[in-house]
């Protein structure tokens, strides 16, 4: 399958990595391979590992990047970064890139069930081999659980009402498709509240996708594990796409930047805690107007960069 993939904040993240010719780099979210390709063009005498849990992404990247003999594709979840590097016999790396969220090609493949713009089976699994899909969340969670997921991960004001409508509809029949779910969400949100802003199903679909793939649960530990594997001076670049992700990245970076974590009332430091990360940009880098004009999916993206000390 052919698809158009535009990597978000590409120039800014590649510049942020400070790539050395002989360095070892990891693209922890291989996706369409856009960032990986640019890293490979610069790390000509080094090694680049691309990690993804999606078979389609792995196979597509292998074909797209076959000109490079220093590229390694590895199927896994990025939360397993330490295990992946151990398996490859790699102790330390010089940079790591995370482009979080759902990939363009996943959104553009109707059968994957990520998009509210297509009528398709409820799926949303980034790793097709995992058992739990969006179908299980929508048809299996009770009203309280559904409301919590939609409110917490989607930051949806109408979460309780949407959950109630889902329960009522599934008592008649299972909710099998994205189209069915969209129609339920539109019925649940009052017409007056649907006039402005993004698609009414966007927040709920985001929430269910995050729940299915446990995206936020693994994020903080993954960032800490990645920083532990960086060489001194190595860089970590993380692109997030919504406030929940960015909040976790920001707080983890700030914590890793702290020298002392003793309570304020202690007269002197007794923790021996030393900072691991220097913040390269205290405020996130966002897309410029030119990129926003070319790629609407970049609109909410934020890039944070740190350097191992």
């Amino acid at each position: 399958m052919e698809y158009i993939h535009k990597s978000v904040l590409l120039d800014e993240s590649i510049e942020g990595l400070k790539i050395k010719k002989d360095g070892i780099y990891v693209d922890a979210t291989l996706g369409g391979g856009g960032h990986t390709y640019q890293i490979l063009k610069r790390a000509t005498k080094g090694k680049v590992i691309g990690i993804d849990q999606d078979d389609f992404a792995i196979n597509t990247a292998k074909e797209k990047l076959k000109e490079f003999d220093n590229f390694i594709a590895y199927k896994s979840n990025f939360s397993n970064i330490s295990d992946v590097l151990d398996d490859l016999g790699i102790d330390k790396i010089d940079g790591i890139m995370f482009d979080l969220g759902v990939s363009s090609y996943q959104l553009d493949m109707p059968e994957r069930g990520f998009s509210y713009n297509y009528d398709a089976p409820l799926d949303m699994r980034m790793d097709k081999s995992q058992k739990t899909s969006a179908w299980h969340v929508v048809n299996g969670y009770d009203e309280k659980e559904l409301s919590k997921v939609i409110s917490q991960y989607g930051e949806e004001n109408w979460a309780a009402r949407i959950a109630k409508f889902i329960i009522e509809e599934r008592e008649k029949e299972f909710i099998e498709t994205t189209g069915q779910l969209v129609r339920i969400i539109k019925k649940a949100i009052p017409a007056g509240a649907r006039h402005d802003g993004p698609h009414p199903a966007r927040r709920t679909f985001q929430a269910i996708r995050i729940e299915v793939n446990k995206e936020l649960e693994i994020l903080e530990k993954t960032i800490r594990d990645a920083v532990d594997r960086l060489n001194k001076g190595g860089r970590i670049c993380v692109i997030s796409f919504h406030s929940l992700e960015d909040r976790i990245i920001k707080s983890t970076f700030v914590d890793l930047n702290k020298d002392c974590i003793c309570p304020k009332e202690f007269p002197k430091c007794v923790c021996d805690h030393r900072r691991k990360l220097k913040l390269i940009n205290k405020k996130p880098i966002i897309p410029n107007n030119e990129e926003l004009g070319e790629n609407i999916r970049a609109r909410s993206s934020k890039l944070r960069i740190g350097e191992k000390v």
Side-chain angles (χ1 to χ4, degrees), residues 18 21-22 57 80 86 107 174 196 203-204 283 291 308:
K18 284 182 64 177
K21 279 189 176 182
D22 60 349
N80 302 319
D86 287 345
L107 284 170
F174 284 130
D196 300 317
R203 292 178 183 275
T204 300
K283 290 187 176 180
E291 179 169 4
K308 183 72 175 286

Side-chain angles (χ1 to χ4, degrees), residues 60-307:
T60 302
K62 283 180 178 178
E63 178 62 27
K64 180 178 180 178
L65 305 172
K66 62 184 178 183
E67 66 185 273
F68 300 100
D69 57 9
N70 59 335
F71 170 63
I72 301 169
Y74 198 110
K75 186 190 174 186
S76 186
N77 186 288
F78 62 57
S79 63
N80 302 319
I81 179 63
S82 290
D83 292 338
V84 171
L85 293 176
D86 287 345
D87 187 45
L88 295 173
I90 297 170
D91 181 29
K92 296 289 185 180
I93 57 176
D94 297 292
I96 186 164
M97 171 85 220
F98 291 88
D99 183 1
L100 303 174
V102 64
S103 297
S104 297
Y105 76 86
Q106 289 172 328
L107 284 170
D108 293 336
M109 295 172 74
E111 66 271 21
R112 299 301 294 270
F114 284 103
S115 178
Y116 42 74
N117 292 316
Y118 307 111
D119 190 15
L122 275 172
D123 194 332
M124 302 193 196
R125 292 172 297 170
M126 291 182 180
D127 180 354
K128 292 280 284 181
S129 67
Q130 84 174 39
K131 292 181 180 179
T132 301
S133 70
W135 188 96
H136 297 93
V137 173
V138 172
N139 291 288
Y141 283 25
D142 64 30
E143 187 173 338
K144 186 177 179 182
E145 289 173 320
L146 272 175
S147 180
K148 182 180 177 182
V149 166
I150 297 168
S151 174
Q152 187 173 331
Y153 294 157
E155 298 180 299
E156 171 60 74
N157 293 331
W158 299 97
R161 189 172 160 89
I162 292 168
K164 180 175 181 288
F165 274 58
I166 288 173
I167 298 298
E168 289 174 354
E169 289 294 326
R170 81 182 195 202
E171 284 176 354
K172 303 172 191 173
E173 61 178 349
F174 284 130
I175 300 164
E176 302 283 353
T177 70
T178 54
Q180 283 177 274
L181 183 58
V182 168
R183 288 191 291 274
I184 294 166
I185 294 166
K186 285 182 175 179
K187 278 198 289 184
I189 300 176
R194 289 192 262 117
H195 288 321
D196 300 317
H199 192 287
R202 184 174 72 86
R203 292 178 183 275
T204 300
F205 269 62
Q206 171 186 295
I208 294 171
R209 188 202 80 217
I210 289 172
E211 174 67 11
V212 168
N213 297 287
K214 306 300 180 189
E215 294 173 39
L216 298 183
E217 292 179 19
I218 61 177
L219 203 46
E220 180 180 348
K221 183 180 183 301
T222 300
I223 296 302
R224 291 181 182 276
D225 288 346
V227 170
D228 283 342
R229 302 305 287 252
L230 286 173
N231 281 316
K232 183 179 179 180
R235 292 283 185 93
I236 177 171
C237 294
V238 187
I239 299 173
S240 62
F241 287 86
H242 57 78
S243 59
L244 296 172
E245 287 175 340
D246 184 58
R247 212 172 295 151
I248 293 170
I249 302 306
K250 179 183 178 180
S251 65
T252 306
F253 272 29
V254 167
D255 194 53
L256 289 167
N257 182 243
K258 290 177 182 175
D259 248 342
C260 173
I261 56 173
C262 290
K264 289 181 180 179
E265 59 268 22
F266 279 29
K268 66 176 184 178
C269 176
V270 294
C271 69
D272 290 328
H273 184 274
R274 293 294 175 263
R275 71 172 182 154
K276 295 182 177 181
L277 202 66
K278 178 174 76 173
L279 306 183
I280 300 303
N281 57 316
K282 292 188 178 180
K283 290 187 176 180
I285 298 168
I286 59 175
N288 57 34
N289 290 332
E290 182 181 354
E291 179 169 4
L292 289 173
E294 295 175 352
N295 186 6
I296 189 63
R297 287 175 181 162
R299 65 183 180 274
S300 58
S301 59
K302 294 179 179 179
L303 168 64
R304 294 188 185 273
I305 305 168
E307 181 177 291

